[in-house]
Each structure stands twice: as C-alpha cells, then as structure tokens.
Amino acid sequence: MPKVTFIQPDGLQNVLDAEAETSVMRVAVSNGLPGIVAECGGSAMCATCHVYIEDGYLDGLPEMSEVEDEMLDCTASERCANSRLSCQLPVVSDLAVRLPDAQV
Amino acid sequence: MTAETLATNAPVLDLDPFSDDFLTDPYDAHEQMREAGPVFWLERYGVYGVARHDEVSRVLTDHETFVSSRGVGISDFAKEKPWRPPSLLLEADPPQHTKARQVVTKILTVKLLRSLKDGFQAHADELVARVAAQGGVIDGVHDLAEPYPLAVFPDFIGLAKDGRENLLPYGSMVFNTFGPRNGHFERALERGAAAQGWIMEQCRPGSPASEGLGAQIHAAAAQAGFNEEDQAKLLRSFLSAGVDTTVHGIGNALQCLAENPEQFAALRDDPSLARAAFEETVRYSSPVQTFFRTTSKDTEVSGVALPEGSKVLMFLAAANRDPRQWESPAAFDIQRKAAGHVGFGFGIHACLGQMLARLEGECFLTALARHVSRIELAGQPKQQLNNTLRGLDSLPLHLTAA
Ligand code: HEM
C-alpha cells in the first residue's frame, strides 16, 4: 500500500496508508486529518483541499486540468509552483505533501 | 434479454416515490429501499432505484454508463420529446457538457463568491434582525426563507426588478417535471406557464444588467462560440436551479433548528458553526431528493444486470441517511463531518451553484445566531410537495430577539 505523508504547517507529520487510486484528499478526510476541508467532496469546486507537494514528488503526478488550474487561483493560502488540489491526485506511489496555513 | 426478465434480478418494490404520502414523509420508505438491496426495481414506473450511499455514488461517478443527456427525470429523451429544450449543463454529456460547464466555472469562482460575502451578510443581518424584532408568530418560509435568496440572488444575476415573483413558480415547475405526469406535474406546468415568458425574456442576451453575473455568462458563452439561443439556455440553468433550492435549504434549516433546540444553542454559542449547520441540513433534510440517469449500454451494479436504456432513480436523500455511511444518520448534528453527502450530487454534474448556496446558507444562519436567542415551533410545519424537491410551504415560528 502506498503511503502519504502529510506535513502540518507546524511541522507535525502523519504518515497514512492509501488504497491505490483513492485521492490524497480522501486519504486525509477518511482518517480525520485536520488541515484538509474538502467542502465540495472532491468535485474541484471549493479549493479547500489545497496542498504543497514536497520536493521530489512533483514529477509523477497527473497533469493539471484547466479547472484545477483555475481553482488554484482561488486558494486561501498563497499559490506556489508546487500547489495542487488534493482531490485531483490519485495515490499511485508514496507521496509527501505540506498543508497550507489556511483553507478557507 | 428484455428489461422484464432482468428485473427479476433486483428486488421488486411496489412503492410510489412520487405519491403524496411518500413525498410528505419519505424516511421509512427510504429505509425499506436501502434494505431491499443495492439496486431495486420500482414496478409502478418500470425504473431501477439505488438508495445506498455506495451505489448512488457509483452511479453519479460513472457518467459514461449513466448518462444525463437522455434526461435526469423519468422521461427518456431518446423516446419522448422533452417539454422544454434540454439544459446544456444538467441534461448534457461530455464533451458538450464539459464545454458549457467551463464557461460557468470560469466566472462563478470562489474568489467572486468571497467578494460577495459582506453584502450577503449585511442583507441577512438586516432581514433576520427585523423579523426577530416583530414578535408574535412569524412564518419561517414567507418571512425568512423566501425573502433572503430573493433579496440577494436576482440582484447578483442582474435580473429586472419587476417580475421576480416568477422565479419560484418557474423553479418549482422545472423540478416537478422531472417526475411522472401526476397532479404535481400538471399543476406545476399550469402555474409555471405564466412564469415562462418572463424567465425567457430575462435569459435573452442583452436583457440582464451589464454588471451582473448573467451578462458575464452571456459574454463568456459568446466568446466560447455559443450562439444567442445557447447563451440564453446557460443562464436559464441558474434561474431554474438557483432559487427554490436555496429557499428550501434555508427553510429546512430553520425547521431543523427549531426541532433541535440543543443544536440551535450550539450554533448560538459558536456562530462560526453556521456553514456546518447548513451543510448538515443539506445532508439531513436534502432540498433535492432525487435525480435520474439512463444507462447508455448493458451494465451491472452490485451484481444486478441493467440493460441499455434503463432509467435509474438515485435517491440522494436516502444515501445521505445510509447507516452504512453515517453514524446516527437520523440525528441532526451540526458538529458532525457532513462532507461526503450527495445532496449537491457528485462528479461531473456536481451542483455548479453549491458554493453560492453555502454562502447564502452561512450568511443566513450566522445572522440567525446573532439576532435570535430562541426559535420555537408555533404550529405544524406544512410540506410543499414537489416531485423532486423537499421543502416547506409554511413554518409557524416564535422567535425571541437576542
Ligand atoms: C441548497 C441548494 C442546492 C442544492 C441542494 C442543489 C442540488 C443540486 C444537485 C443534487 C445537482 C446535481 C444534478 C445531477 O447530478 O444531475 C445540482 C446541479 C446543478 N445545480 Fe444545484 N443545488 C442547489 C443550489 C444551486 C444554486 C444556488 C445554483 C445556481 C446558482 C445551482 C445550479 C446548478 C446547476 C447549473 C446544476 C447542473 C450542473 C451540471 O449538470 O453540470 N444549484 N444541484
């Protein structure tokens, strides 16, 4: 089972097992992890599951859709080059993401 | 194989989900459907049904097998001519749907909604404080749930000031016509017919105020290559889906809070729970109860074979109370994590207005927490029966001003 490492803004880390193909957002939400709101439940409509991808993990990710790109312009915390919406990222192999200061 | 022989695979139910009894109080029937099996056959209408969270989610997600272009009501557009030209959003499949949806998502952004918040909140505060100060018995529907969306939504779109009373009957008609041709359908068509002319006039490019969302949708649609007729149809989706739904959401929230005083006390203690309280309302008392899909090929759901051309009725509201998914599903709990409910649908057709609906719900319930210290039922709430929607006709309340 691939593992996803979630790094909170204060540096605290949680390593969670992910069933193949579930989204990074679902992994966080189904484990009750704070820091991912995911108000719309995964429809790329709310921009409240924003994450920063840690160095070294960016390459293996699926390409960003136009919708995700636009939603990322609306995040509560600053958008960076490594910003993604975690609802749009199926887990295929190990991954590490950093959570932003705010989602809403 | 014909539908008849395959149907024996699925448990057969004699329930009528569009009867007055069912629409008045659907919850026992929801349980019966969930327990009958993952997929069942509704004999009266010759349609399949799904009522568990898992199967409803699967049907919503697999938009290639379960298409919307043949109608999201009981009528199959492949066999029957729709009563109005189909929606470019709700009643369309990719790639046409994708193109239309992008026009709107580019405009109705989270950023835009954030910019509306102060104005929406001010309206809610003014309305709720005024009604709470009235004293005596008020009607939660006529005095609060209807006026609030009608105060913010039409201005936001840029609709004419005159004729806004047409919005509710038009929406009610559209949602009734997803059901069978029963009394609700026929009466709604009669009443809605008068509203239709005004709605079509509002949807015409050039008609909405230039600074509103309507004009922006027209402009963006024109830029994306949609002709004038289709530009109008895109705006029509907003006028059909944007008012009755939020009115019912707010009315149902008032009822839930009046019937669960400890939940209202929690909201009073912490008004930042307002958004969660609205979310829980959409789960617990879902304004949109059902939608159909049509199978585009022979398929299978949880071991039950469905032939091509089958209508499948998704009981969103039943999925939202499925004990397989929720702890104490029949408890209204504004502090639960309601995310994952399907009250706004899911997948490519997930409600386009959901962030706007949440904003309205949040502002309204924040105002309620600020200006009202007690909310009590002052009589029997009356349901407004609709083939698709669940909401109230009247809600007698006694409010104590804070
Ligand atoms: C509490 C309020 C609301 C509820 C419960 C609700 C519910 C829903 C649901 C369940 C769907 C999915 C339809 C399907 O899968 O076939 C949907 C779609 C849609 N809703 Fe809402 N809605 C609400 C408010 C709004 C508002 C305020 C607007 C407009 C501003 C709106 C516009 C739409 C549109 C355009 C679609 C079609 C999207 C598509 O097919 O791509 N809704 N809504």
Side-chain angles (χ1 to χ4, degrees), chain A residues 39 41 66 70 73-74, chain B residues 106 111 114 275 346 358:
Chain A
E39 204 165 49
E66 209 181 316
E70 278 157 19
D73 284 335
C74 303
Chain B
K106 273 192 186 143
K111 240 189 227 158
R114 261 187 221 132
R275 205 168 166 96
F346 186 73
R358 286 191 178 98

Side-chain angles (χ1 to χ4, degrees), chain A residues 26 29 32-33 37-43 45-48 66-67 70-71 73-76 103-104, chain B residues 101-102 105-106 108-111 114 275 279 337 339-341 345-347 350-355 358:
Chain A
R26 281 246 167 269
V29 170
L33 194 81
V37 177
E39 204 165 49
C40 79
S43 304
M45 296 214 54
C46 68
T48 65
E66 209 181 316
V67 173
E70 278 157 19
M71 289 308 299
D73 284 335
C74 303
T75 51
Q103 294 282 12
V104 285
Chain B
R101 186 151 170 131
Q102 260 171 17
T105 45
K106 273 192 186 143
L108 195 58
T109 62
V110 173
K111 240 189 227 158
R114 261 187 221 132
R275 205 168 166 96
E279 202 71 41
K337 277 204 168 137
H341 71 73
F346 186 73
C351 179
L352 255 177
Q354 58 180 284
M355 300 306 282
R358 286 191 178 98

Side-chain angles (χ1 to χ4, degrees), chain B residues 104-321:
Chain B
V104 182
T105 45
K106 273 192 186 143
I107 298 171
L108 195 58
T109 62
V110 173
K111 240 189 227 158
L112 172 70
L113 293 170
R114 261 187 221 132
S115 75
L116 297 173
K117 188 166 180 180
D118 289 348
F120 276 37
Q121 187 62 60
H123 267 291
D125 281 320
E126 187 277 322
L127 173 70
V128 175
R130 179 160 47 79
V131 173
Q134 259 172 38
V137 175
I138 63 119
D139 179 354
V141 176
H142 279 99
D143 298 330
L144 293 169
E146 288 182 357
Y148 181 59
L150 285 172
V152 293
F153 182 82
D155 281 345
F156 170 52
I157 304 284
L159 302 181
K161 297 273 183 219
D162 287 339
R164 292 179 176 185
E165 68 280 1
N166 287 306
L167 286 165
L168 287 171
Y170 184 74
S172 157
M173 164 170 77
V174 170
F175 282 101
N176 265 317
T177 57
F178 294 129
R181 282 194 169 265
N182 57 12
H184 298 298
F185 185 118
E186 299 298 347
R187 277 190 301 275
L189 262 193
E190 258 167 52
R191 246 181 279 137
Q196 214 168 342
W198 184 83
I199 296 284
M200 293 312 143
E201 172 56 27
Q202 295 303 308
C203 290
R204 202 173 43 78
S207 187
S210 57
E211 67 280 8
L213 185 89
Q216 287 182 51
I217 289 181
H218 286 149
Q223 212 177 13
F226 287 93
N227 66 24
E228 291 215 348
E229 192 186 325
D230 285 349
Q231 294 166 32
K233 247 192 267 171
L234 275 179
L235 184 54
R236 194 191 66 186
S237 292
F238 280 74
L239 304 195
S240 315
V243 193
D244 297 66
T245 47
T246 46
V247 165
H248 287 332
I250 290 170
N252 292 355
L254 282 167
Q255 180 183 15
C256 292
L257 291 166
E259 289 175 350
N260 297 274
E262 79 295 344
Q263 297 297 315
F264 184 62
L267 176 63
R268 283 271 297 158
D269 277 352
D270 180 3
S272 77
L273 286 171
R275 205 168 166 96
F278 188 70
E279 202 71 41
E280 171 68 346
T281 303
V282 177
R283 180 197 73 84
Y284 175 86
S285 186
S286 309
V288 175
Q289 295 269 303
T290 49
F291 267 123
F292 285 87
R293 294 290 188 263
T294 314
T295 53
S296 61
K297 54 177 187 246
D298 292 352
T299 186
E300 171 269 328
V301 176
S302 303
V304 177
L306 313 185
E308 186 275 335
S310 304
K311 277 281 171 182
V312 182
L313 180 49
M314 304 178 289
F315 288 88
L316 307 173
N320 287 341
R321 288 185 176 214

Side-chain angles (χ1 to χ4, degrees), chain A residues 12-93:
Chain A
L12 191 78
Q13 296 198 7
N14 289 284
V15 182
L16 301 174
D17 286 330
E19 264 177 60
E21 294 300 312
T22 49
S23 72
V24 173
M25 178 278 279
R26 281 246 167 269
V27 175
V29 170
S30 58
N31 284 279
L33 194 81
I36 301 261
V37 177
E39 204 165 49
C40 79
S43 304
M45 296 214 54
C46 68
T48 65
C49 68
H50 177 203
V51 296
Y52 303 112
I53 310 297
E54 284 286 281
D55 284 352
Y57 294 99
L58 213 48
D59 284 351
L61 300 178
E63 224 175 286
M64 188 182 295
S65 70
E66 209 181 316
V67 173
E68 182 183 347
D69 193 5
E70 278 157 19
M71 289 308 299
L72 281 168
D73 284 335
C74 303
T75 51
S77 296
E78 188 194 358
R79 175 179 187 170
C80 300
N82 59 343
S83 284
R84 293 296 302 258
L85 290 185
S86 60
C87 72
Q88 301 299 301
L89 303 176
V91 183
V92 281
S93 54

